[in-house]
């Protein structure tokens, strides 16, 4: 017997929660306990009084599972609001930051700098044998930049994961 | 606003919240609270013999009264022992508040004596939990915890209280009005949804009500409303294990329980229906059988207070989020407002009666006095002997539980206490203790299997201490019967570790604890034995020897559809493919 898995679509969820100890563990634990995917997760408090945190989760699953994830999140006591930014009519902006360290000399070093320029990546640190680039954009763009840097002496990457927000004047 | 110690605040909050009973077990990290309780004789503390039993007793108390059950245990092993009962309460939506002691805040995280990460361990088996780091927060948290445990879909809430927070003084405050800043479950159903639902019900040709524990949780008025709605529509009704008692079993519209060990007529009606009205039920895998064959031709209305239950397993056509009782009231009002009249469901009832004619709960038995007792007969005899006494019945988990569900007729809610979701062996006896504490003058009977009972048998001491007249009726077949039944179904009767070897002499055990012990060996002794059990004051354990190899039918084997029920032992093939074997 083989165990079957279902293909899914990518969704970005924005969740506001009480900024309290254990809330993040509750959210991530829900995903592991129920077998949902987390592709990326970011969290930071977002209000002046530090009472609320906003969590952005990129997940994937078939539509009924996405609905179920939202309903399961929504019933957790410390969760205030859950928004699926991929919902119809909810156009949104996604950004991710990566810090990309490239080491090398000669042509590869020049090529790395040129491509960073094309991608509008900033140099935030440099030595005679290395650069650290800061790149901001969609996850796709970051992926593509990192893939190119592999050819130019990539040694280390740090990524933030996605933050996202709906377009237009309405708040979450 | 009064200055007092954290421990005094805990007890003051319990008093303010109207708590009359706490089930618990003391230990180092809760000694300050126990000392505070000592000064508060209005709160009755029931000393159990194991913390798991405290949680099940609290469940029994809650399920039989509708009030939250309260548990008090110490840190470390006290808390971990409580985890099974907490999880049981989560799966069966039982309101419960568990107070756990914790090592002082200064020692948290140091692997201190009897330290465990209680909030971490219970994070996913509670509806919500708290670690209280400041005594000033104790008052508001205690009140909020009871609010959360009892509002929306009920469930267990853990409050972990470090010992120094119990000792330190602070200000006790009671929130005037609790409106949680994020947890606000929808109680009132949407009027449009109700209007659509009632039109669908009025138009259906083959409707079935499928009700669950949510109706019980919504209170006795919800059960009354259910009866009225069923009577108005004339539709047949079935229920889950957890929902038994919401609708009277002697009503001609009652089809019996549905699902894996449900009746043939209930499962066939679900399969052939054109409308299913699910009320406070969650389409559990024990109920649905094979999903792609579950009620294929019906529209489905799902009324539930928990939005995440809707479309979780079975996609439905109309969702009504709200309290089951409010929704039923609204449906009745809409039925009357719109002037709906019950349709002629004669053709549908003729088909139902055809399925009923299989008499799926019949069982073969010998009638002479010396014959061995069929377990079904024992349950029926118990039911007959207790009619009119309005007993509260608890069960353990296994074959005896299913036989009790099939053959004991309930006519009112809060009389049937069983572990449905988690299926916890060891639940029934302590749950009977909790129910008896809440109802000192009622007849409380735990229908047990000899294997399950041994999982919390130490509570015989608790019963003796509080002189509780709990009756334990063991259907003793010397097997973990349900395990053995599955081994017969699936593993060609290779009985791996399912025999109840080295059983105690239950009559002598009763004697050792100061109980009355009785043994029933054959059919001729059954009626008198039960009568004696009921008439004997104080706690009684009845070792009722039943047919050892009887199995529980009808049954939908795992991976099969409602229409593929095994009705007779002769239908059992003894093998199963891997897909079916992999299902629980």
């Amino acid at each position: 017997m083989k165990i079957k898995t279902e293909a899914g679509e990518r969704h970005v969820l924005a969740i506001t929660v009480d900024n309290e100890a254990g809330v993040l563990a509750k959210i991530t634990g829900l995903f592991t306990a129920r077998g949902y995917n987390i592709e990326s997760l970011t969290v930071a408090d977002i209000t002046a009084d530090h009472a609320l945190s906003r969590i952005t989760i990129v997940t994937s699953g078939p539509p009924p599972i996405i609905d179920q994830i939202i309903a399961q999140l929504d019933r957790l006591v410390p969760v205030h609001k859950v928004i699926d930014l991929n919902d119809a009519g909810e156009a949104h902006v996604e950004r991710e930051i990566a810090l990309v360290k490239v080491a090398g000399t000669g042509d590869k070093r020049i090529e790395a700098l040129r491509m960073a320029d094309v991608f509008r990546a900033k140099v935030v640190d440099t030595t005679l044998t290395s650069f650290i680039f800061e790149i901001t954009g969609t996850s796709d763009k970051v992926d593509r930049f990192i893939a190119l840097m592999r050819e130019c002496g990539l040694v280390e990457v740090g990524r933030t994961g996605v933050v996202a927000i709906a377009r237009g004047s309405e708040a979450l | 606003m009064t200055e007092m110690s954290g421990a005094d605040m805990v007890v003051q909050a319990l008093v303010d919240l109207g708590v009359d009973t706490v089930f618990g077990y003391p230990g180092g990290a809760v000694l300050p609270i126990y000392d505070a309780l000592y000064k508060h004789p209005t709160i009755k503390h029931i000393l159990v013999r194991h913390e798991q039993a405290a949680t099940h007793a609290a469940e029994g108390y809650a399920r039989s009264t509708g009030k939250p059950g309260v548990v008090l245990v110490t840190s470390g092993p006290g808390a971990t022992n409580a985890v099974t009962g907490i999880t049981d309460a989560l799966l069966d939506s039982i309101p419960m508040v568990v107070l756990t002691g914790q090592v002082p805040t200064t020692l948290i995280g140091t692997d201190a004596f009897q330290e465990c990460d209680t909030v971490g361990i219970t994070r996913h088996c509670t509806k919500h939990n708290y670690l209280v780091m400041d005594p000033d927060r104790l008052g508001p948290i205690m009140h909020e915890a009871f609010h959360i445990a009892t509002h929306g879909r009920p469930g267990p809430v853990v409050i972990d209280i470090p010992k120094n927070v119990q000792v330190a003084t602070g200000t006790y405050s009671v929130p005037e009005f609790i409106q949680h800043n994020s947890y606000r479950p929808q109680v009132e159903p949407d009027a449009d949804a109700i209007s659509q639902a009632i039109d669908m019900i009025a138009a259906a040709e083959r409707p079935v009500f499928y009700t669950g524990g949510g109706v019980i949780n919504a209170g006795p008025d919800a059960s009354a409303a259910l009866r009225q709605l069923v009577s108005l529509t004339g539709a047949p009704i079935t229920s889950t294990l957890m929902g038994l008692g919401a609708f009277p079993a002697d009503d001609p519209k009652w089809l019996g329980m549905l699902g894996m060990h449900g009746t043939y007529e209930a499962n066939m009606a679900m399969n052939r229906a054109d409308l299913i009205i699910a009320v406070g039920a969650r389409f559990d895998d024990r109920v649905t059988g094979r999903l792609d064959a579950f009620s294929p031709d019906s529209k489905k209305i799902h009324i539930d207070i928990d939005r995440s239950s809707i479309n979780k397993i079975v996609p439905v056509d109309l969702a009504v989020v709200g309290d089951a009782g409010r929704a039923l009231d609204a449906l009745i009002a809409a039925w009357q407002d719109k002037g709906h009249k019950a349709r002629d469901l004669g053709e549908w009832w003729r088909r139902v009666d055809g399925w009923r004619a299989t008499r799926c709960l019949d069982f073969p038995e010998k009638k002479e006095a010396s014959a061995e007792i069929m377990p079904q007969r024992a349950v029926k005899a118990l039911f007959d002997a207790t009619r009119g006494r309005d007993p509260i019945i608890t069960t353990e988990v296994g074959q005896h539980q299913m036989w009790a569900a099939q053959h004991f007729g309930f006519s009112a809610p809060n009389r049937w206490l069983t572990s449905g979701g988690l299926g916890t062996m060891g639940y029934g006896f302590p749950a009977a203790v909790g129910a008896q504490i809440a109802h000192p003058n009622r007849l409380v009977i735990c229908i047990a299997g000899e294997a399950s009972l041994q999982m919390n048998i130490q509570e015989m001491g608790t019963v003796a201490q509080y002189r509780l007249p709990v009756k334990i009726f063991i259907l003793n077949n010397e097997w973990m019967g349900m395990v053995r039944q599955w081994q017969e179904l699936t593993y060609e009767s290779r009985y791996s570790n399912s025999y109840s070897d080295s059983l105690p002499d239950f009559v002598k055990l009763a004697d050792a604890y100061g109980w009355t012990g009785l043994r029933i060996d054959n059919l001729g002794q059954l009626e008198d034995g039960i009568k004696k059990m009921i008439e004997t004051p104080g706690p009684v354990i009845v070792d009722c020897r039943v047919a050892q190899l009887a199995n529980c039918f009808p049954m939908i084997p795992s991976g099969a559809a409602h229409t593929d029920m095994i009705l007779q032992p002769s239908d059992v093939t003894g093998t199963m493919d891997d897909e079916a074997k992999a299902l629980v």
Side-chain angles (χ1 to χ4, degrees), chain A residues 116-130:
Chain A
D117 191 42
V118 171
F119 274 79
R120 294 194 185 83
K122 273 196 294 188
V123 177
V124 291
D125 180 73
T126 182
T127 67
L128 291 173
T129 55
S130 70

Side-chain angles (χ1 to χ4, degrees), chain A residues 1-2 4 18 20-22 25-30 33-34 64 67-68 70-72 74-80, chain B residues 122-124 126-130 137 144 148 153 180-183 306-313 578-580 582:
Chain A
M1 193 189 82
K2 295 273 184 284
K4 298 176 193 117
D18 285 331
E20 280 174 5
K26 190 148 181 95
I27 305 261
T28 53
L30 184 148
R34 295 188 182 270
D67 286 348
Q68 185 58 208
I70 293 166
Q72 291 289 353
D74 206 28
R75 75 179 183 140
L76 298 180
V77 170
V79 168
H80 288 246
Chain B
T122 61
R123 186 165 287 132
H124 305 295
T126 51
K127 184 171 172 187
H128 195 46
N129 65 10
Y130 302 88
R137 292 281 303 137
E144 187 181 284
I148 288 172
R153 181 173 178 178
H180 196 271
N181 61 9
S182 56
Y183 185 67
D306 182 357
R307 180 164 78 87
S308 74
S309 284
I310 289 165
N311 294 329
K312 181 170 70 173
I313 295 163
D578 284 353
E579 299 278 346

Side-chain angles (χ1 to χ4, degrees), chain B residues 6 20 47 54 77 92-93 103 138 153 290 403 408 458 565:
Chain B
D20 53 20
L47 177 65
D92 284 344
S93 308
V103 301
L138 261 172
R153 181 173 178 178
R290 202 176 80 222
W403 282 317
F408 206 101
Q458 76 286 344
M565 292 198 87

Side-chain angles (χ1 to χ4, degrees), chain B residues 51-76:
Chain B
E51 289 89 349
Q52 186 194 351
T55 55
H56 295 320
E59 288 185 272
Y61 177 94
R63 195 72 175 164
S64 65
T65 61
K67 295 194 285 185
V70 182
V71 175
L72 174 59
V73 295
T74 193
S75 62

Side-chain angles (χ1 to χ4, degrees), chain B residues 228-397:
Chain B
Q228 195 186 344
L229 184 63
V230 169
S231 155
L232 286 172
T233 58
I237 172 168
T238 178
S239 129
T240 66
L241 182 71
M242 295 308 293
L244 297 178
F247 193 84
D250 56 3
D251 189 290
K253 295 194 179 60
W254 174 244
L255 302 181
M257 182 173 76
L258 83 165
M260 185 170 270
H261 290 289
T263 65
Y264 184 69
E265 51 269 35
N267 288 329
M268 288 304 290
M270 290 292 282
N271 186 268
R272 302 286 197 252
D274 70 346
L275 179 71
I276 283 172
I277 309 123
V279 190
R282 59 184 178 88
F283 296 88
D284 178 81
D285 54 82
R286 300 290 100 160
V287 157
T288 60
R290 202 176 80 222
L291 273 175
D292 58 16
F294 174 74
S295 194
D297 303 321
S298 64
K299 294 239 183 259
K300 297 170 188 76
I301 300 171
H302 191 178
I303 300 169
D304 205 291
I305 199 156
D306 182 357
R307 180 164 78 87
S308 74
S309 284
I310 289 165
N311 294 329
K312 181 170 70 173
I313 295 163
V314 172
V316 297
D317 301 277
L318 178 64
V320 181
V321 177
D323 175 79
R326 307 275 180 95
L328 289 165
D329 286 343
L331 286 171
I332 292 166
W335 177 276
Q336 287 160 345
D337 288 350
K338 293 187 177 210
H340 283 308
K341 294 273 177 288
R343 280 180 75 116
D344 175 12
L345 301 177
E347 177 52 31
W348 180 225
W349 275 108
R350 270 186 290 284
R351 293 177 71 184
V352 169
D353 288 339
W355 298 317
R356 272 178 170 162
T358 58
R359 303 191 56 84
C360 68
L361 293 179
D362 283 0
F363 51 93
E365 67 177 334
K366 296 198 178 77
K367 301 281 187 194
E368 61 268 20
S370 61
E372 63 178 3
I373 300 168
M374 291 302 284
Q376 300 93 322
R377 173 61 54 202
V379 172
K380 283 170 96 73
L382 190 65
F383 174 49
D384 289 338
T386 56
R387 262 181 224 260
R389 290 176 183 265
D390 197 15
I392 295 172
I393 302 294
T394 77
T395 76
E396 302 288 348
V397 168

